[in-house]
Amino acid sequence: MTGAKRKKKSVLWSKMHTPQCEDITQWCRRRLPILAWAPHYNLKENLLPDTVSGIMLAVQQVAQGLAFAVLSSVHPVFGLYGSLFPAIIYAIFGMGRHVATGTFALTSLISANAVERLVPQSIQNLTTQSNTSVLGLSDFEMQRIGVAAAVSFLGGVIQVVMFLLQLGSATFLVTEPVISAMTTGAATHVVTSQVKYLLGMKMPYISGPLGFFYIYAYVFENIKSVQLEALLLSLLSIVVLVLVKELNEQFKRRIKVVLPVDLVLIIAASFACYCTNMENTYGLEVVGHIPKGIPPPRAPPMNILSAVITEAFGVALVGYVASLALAQGSAKKFKYSVDDNQEFLAHGLSNVISSFFFCIPSAAAMGRTAGLYSTGAKTQVACLISCIFVLIVIYAIGPLLYWLPMCVLASIIVVGLKGMLIQFRDLKKYWNVDKIDWGIWVSTYVFTICFAANVGLLFGVVCTIAIVIGRFPRAKTLSIKNTKEMEFKVKTETDSETLQQVKIISINNPLVFMNAKKFYTDLMNLIQKENASNQPIDDISKCEQNTLLNSLSNGNCNDEASQACPSEKCSLILDCSGLTFFDYSGVAMLAEIYMDCKGRSVDVLLADCTASLIKAMKYYGNLDSEKPIFFESVSAAISNICLNKASYELLFNTLDLPTMLLLREFGDCLSLVNCFM
């Protein structure tokens, strides 16, 4: 008996712990998203727009790679590598279909602090001038890229550890105002770092607290050293870039392919500089020698990891937060989902693996992602195609970029940051919706420009949590599940009695970023549950009449409309009397609930709202102006439902079946329905 029991136990244990083929396949699809979309890739519909987008993206990747490498205090060629390897890795592991990963201004600024601290410019003359075996670069350049690669490696390891700890679920603490303020402040830092190139000035590296103000103080003290040629070329480049990009945006619907003004400007400026010998004639700073090819992989120096841990945490957090915001934005725009934890893994591996190929820290950039939007990219194939053209630049075209003026490259970077800089316009939005969010935005921005992006991000998160903790004690309850549900039988003016579901949800707690997603999920689950449980209650003739009307309203009589009798239209009343306060995320979620329910043919009515909530909702969402949405009380909302139901039934009870068939022939039934709704 003992042996039989042991045998039975071992069989059960093996069944429990032996992975099934389906489990492995599901795990691979979850951790390698490329396996989910690549087999279903539509070559006919998606290849052409992805190719066009890939070519445009490659131009941005090359220009930003060169500039952000200089921003990271390393040789420009390493920026080209940073535009290649992270994009390939993210395409395999990432879930954002329109996210362009590569070199990033914010992470470059952070890694530059470590590079300048550990390998300062002052020791360049002390190092040996002999070239190394890696691309013919000096020992000084290799030491610098070693520090940047170590920051990328450790930052990626931190992101992978956060993935293993499932910390993606904690990203709700980073609210939209904090992300907007942090990225805007960091963009301001990047513009400031490019001032010396725009003006053609020789300037020492300045960083640390209040370094932003010290840079401008140095510029004004040495204003006489500005190169007029560099200033004029910078202004001309900025004007051309802004003007052409605005024209591309205005006429993008009329023209199939937008003008790649970045590429045209790079070619024109390099050719003009070569023909006029601006480097020697005017002393204009150029990019310099770009070696060909990709060196063999090498592990980053592990002995300095402890010295760059501060910058590594900054790269891990700032890069992830900025990239996740872009991934979630693209997912919302194109109706797909993004796993926060999977994004930790994707960006972590992008940094870890790329660090072995002499890459600086990477993340997704708003300018490149917006470029994918505007050029009509469909999938990550666009990023993979861009990598092909970046490879061509690395192996063939790179040396021709020697004559590219640094002031032109800086102009391209400044104009590329337009999407971040115009986030100043968000201040009006936050002021009208929630003045506390406005205050958080301003304070986070100030901390970012005074200290650094990672400091501003940390301050914004702590400030947001502290304010919510201070506001929550004023709430009537802390549980989103404290709701009151009632069902009514609404009697119309006709003799028949129609059962209509009227769900009344009483919100008895604040609606803020901490519980907005939970509230949305619970409400959508409730609606789906009620729709599934509702059964047709009228007789067969009534069912046939409703089916006919549904098919008429769609303009055709399809099979879906004739499968079953549709249930009576549901109405949802949100009793907001217990909604003591809200923030921008809460208002955004209410507006999203309204639009989703509208798509599900569920009428949403808000009762007992405060004046500030009504103002915020009207300002934020594109609400239906034809129907009343806000009511003084729940009873007023119910009365409105009764009135609409009575007029609706009165119309259809006066029509017989031949009349409705005749109306269908002339296509007028839909217009009559809309008149009485």
Side-chain angles (χ1 to χ4, degrees):
M1 291 295 293
T2 305
K5 287 183 178 179
R6 287 180 179 177
K7 185 176 181 180
K8 184 177 180 181
K9 185 176 181 181
S10 63
V11 171
L12 291 174
W13 182 263
S14 63
K15 287 183 178 180
M16 290 174 61
H17 292 270
T18 302
Q20 300 296 326
C21 182
E22 295 180 358
D23 297 334
I24 297 175
T25 303
Q26 186 177 3
W27 185 89
C28 290
R29 286 179 177 271
R30 189 168 67 251
R31 297 305 169 210
L32 297 171
I34 192 173
L35 299 179
W37 59 264
H40 307 288
Y41 185 77
N42 192 325
L43 289 173
K44 185 176 181 181
E45 294 184 3
N46 298 337
L47 184 59
L48 180 59
D50 280 344
T51 302
V52 173
S53 299
I55 296 173
M56 298 302 212
L57 177 61
V59 176
Q60 288 182 300
Q61 289 277 37
V62 170
Q64 293 184 0
L66 296 173
F68 292 159
V70 175
L71 186 61
S72 192
S73 299
V74 299
H75 194 278
V77 71
F78 298 119
L80 296 179
Y81 305 154
S83 301
L84 174 66
F85 293 103
I88 297 174
I89 298 168
Y90 183 84
I92 298 173
F93 293 95
M95 298 187 70
R97 302 174 192 170
H98 302 81
V99 174
T101 304
T103 56
F104 187 41
L106 310 190
T107 54
S108 297
L109 271 178
I110 296 173
S111 65
N113 293 332
V115 172
E116 293 289 346
R117 188 180 74 252
L118 299 178
V119 191
Q121 189 73 31
S122 58
I123 72 168
Q124 182 175 7
N125 297 328
L126 302 178
T127 57
T128 57
Q129 296 299 317
S130 60
N131 293 337
T132 64
S133 59
V134 181
L135 301 175
L137 298 175
S138 65
D139 291 333
F140 175 75
E141 293 292 352
M142 295 309 300
Q143 289 178 20
R144 288 202 149 195
I145 187 56
V147 175
V151 174
S152 177
F153 174 81
L154 187 55
V157 169
I158 293 172
Q159 289 175 328
V160 172
V161 170
M162 290 180 174
F163 159 74
L164 296 175
L165 297 176
Q166 299 291 294
L167 294 182
S169 57
T171 54
F172 72 92
L173 296 173
V174 187
T175 60
E176 183 178 330
V178 173
I179 296 174
S180 174
M182 184 270 292
T183 53
T184 306
T188 308
H189 271 297
V190 176
V191 172
T192 302
S193 69
Q194 299 299 305
V195 167
K196 62 179 180 180
Y197 299 115
L198 295 172
L199 302 179
M201 295 179 64
K202 299 294 183 181
M203 184 185 302
Y205 181 78
I206 301 174
S207 64
L210 304 181
F212 173 85
F213 303 100
Y214 290 137
I215 291 175
Y216 285 105
Y218 183 91
V219 170
F220 285 111
E221 289 175 0
N222 301 271
I223 196 70
K224 294 182 179 179
S225 62
V226 173
Q227 276 188 306
L228 185 61
E229 296 82 7
L231 177 61
L232 292 176
L233 189 55
S234 299
L235 291 175
L236 179 62
S237 301
I238 291 174
V239 170
V240 170
L241 287 169
V242 172
L243 183 61
V244 175
K245 288 190 175 184
E246 287 296 326
L247 290 175
N248 283 338
E249 190 67 23
Q250 290 287 337
F251 298 101
K252 64 181 180 181
R253 295 183 179 179
R254 300 183 183 180
I255 55 178
K256 294 183 179 180
V257 180
V258 297
L259 177 65
V261 61
D262 294 349
L263 177 62
V264 173
L265 183 61
I266 289 173
I267 295 174
S270 301
F271 182 76
C273 184
Y274 171 77
C275 293
T276 58
N277 195 18
M278 290 184 183
E279 182 184 15
N280 298 320
T281 305
Y282 303 107
L284 211 62
E285 187 176 0
V286 296
V287 170
H289 174 62
I290 304 292
K292 288 183 180 180
I294 299 176
R298 177 189 296 180
M302 301 296 173
N303 59 327
I304 64 172
L305 293 182
S306 59
V308 299
I309 190 169
T310 303
E311 288 80 9
F313 266 103
V315 165
L317 296 178
V318 173
Y320 172 75
V321 168
S323 302
L324 181 64
L326 294 175
Q328 290 177 339
S330 65
K332 186 176 181 180
K333 182 179 179 68
F334 296 99
K335 308 299 182 184
Y336 61 90
S337 61
V338 170
D339 185 356
D340 297 349
N341 283 306
Q342 181 65 25
E343 291 299 293
F344 259 132
L345 178 64
H347 289 288
L349 293 178
S350 296
N351 280 312
V352 170
I353 298 175
S354 300
S355 65
F356 288 83
F357 294 91
F358 306 95
C359 293
I360 60 179
S362 64
M366 180 180 292
R368 297 194 298 265
T369 302
L372 290 178
Y373 289 169
S374 61
T375 52
K378 302 297 183 181
T379 63
Q380 277 290 326
V381 171
C383 296
L384 295 176
I385 291 174
S386 74
C387 293
I388 297 175
F389 289 94
V390 172
L391 269 176
I392 295 174
V393 172
I394 291 174
Y395 279 97
I397 306 176
L400 301 179
L401 299 174
Y402 178 97
W403 300 100
L404 177 62
M406 288 299 299
C407 60
V408 174
L409 195 58
S411 301
I412 294 174
I413 298 308
V414 170
V415 175
L417 293 171
K418 176 188 172 184
M420 291 185 181
L421 294 174
I422 63 174
Q423 290 180 133
F424 279 108
R425 296 186 301 187
D426 292 345
L427 284 171
K428 180 181 178 182
K429 175 175 63 177
Y430 297 129
W431 180 265
N432 285 281
V433 174
D434 185 15
K435 293 178 176 56
I436 292 181
D437 278 342
W438 181 90
I440 291 174
W441 196 103
V442 173
S443 58
T444 302
Y445 176 80
V446 171
F447 265 75
T448 301
I449 64 171
C450 288
F451 300 99
N454 50 346
V455 178
L457 177 63
L458 180 62
F459 171 81
V461 172
V462 172
C463 186
T464 303
I465 295 174
I467 289 175
V468 171
I469 292 175
R471 296 170 79 183
F472 251 102
R474 295 181 293 163
K476 295 181 180 179
T477 179
L478 297 176
S479 175
I480 193 66
K481 295 183 179 179
N482 288 339
T483 59
K484 301 173 184 178
E485 303 177 21
M486 300 176 62
E487 295 182 359
F488 291 90
K489 285 187 177 181
V490 181
K491 293 185 177 181
T492 64
E493 294 180 0
T494 59
D495 294 333
S496 64
E497 184 178 306
T498 304
L499 179 66
Q500 177 174 356
Q501 292 285 344
V502 179
K503 302 298 289 185
I504 302 177
I505 307 298
S506 180
I507 308 174
N508 294 327
N509 64 307
L511 193 57
V512 293
F513 71 96
M514 297 184 72
N515 62 355
K517 289 184 179 179
K518 179 67 167 55
F519 177 75
Y520 174 84
T521 302
D522 291 343
L523 197 58
M524 290 298 109
N525 289 338
L526 176 64
I527 293 174
Q528 291 177 358
K529 180 180 178 181
E530 291 299 324
N531 286 345
S533 62
N534 285 342
Q535 298 293 333
I537 58 167
D538 292 329
D539 55 13
I540 298 176
S541 61
K542 181 69 175 179
C543 178
E544 293 174 351
Q545 185 181 17
N546 287 340
T547 304
L548 176 61
L549 291 174
N550 281 341
S551 61
L552 286 174
S553 63
N554 291 328
N556 58 354
C557 188
N558 50 26
D559 295 335
E560 295 180 0
S562 59
Q563 287 177 356
C565 175
S567 59
E568 292 292 342
K569 192 170 185 179
C570 180
S571 295
L572 176 65
I573 300 176
L574 296 180
D575 182 6
C576 302
S577 58
L579 185 55
T580 53
F581 66 88
F582 54 89
D583 66 357
Y584 181 84
S585 300
V587 174
M589 192 57 67
L590 279 177
E592 186 175 350
I593 287 172
Y594 175 83
M595 298 305 297
D596 284 355
C597 290
K598 185 178 179 181
R600 300 169 187 261
S601 298
V602 177
D603 289 333
V604 177
L605 298 88
L606 279 70
D608 214 347
C609 303
T610 61
S612 58
L613 178 60
I614 296 175
K615 178 183 176 182
M617 286 288 292
K618 289 182 177 179
Y619 183 85
Y620 179 88
N622 296 322
L623 305 179
D624 192 351
S625 58
E626 296 180 358
K627 296 181 180 180
I629 301 171
F630 304 100
F631 296 90
E632 295 181 355
S633 62
V634 175
S635 59
I638 295 175
S639 299
N640 180 76
I641 294 173
C642 295
L643 182 62
N644 290 338
K645 184 66 180 177
S647 59
Y648 184 83
E649 291 288 341
L650 183 61
L651 168 65
F652 294 127
N653 286 340
T654 56
L655 298 178
D656 54 4
L657 188 59
T659 304
M660 286 188 289
L661 290 172
L662 182 62
L663 288 173
R664 181 194 172 202
E665 295 295 330
F666 293 93
D668 293 332
C669 185
L670 181 58
S671 61
L672 284 175
V673 171
N674 291 332
C675 290
F676 286 88
M677 285 298 290

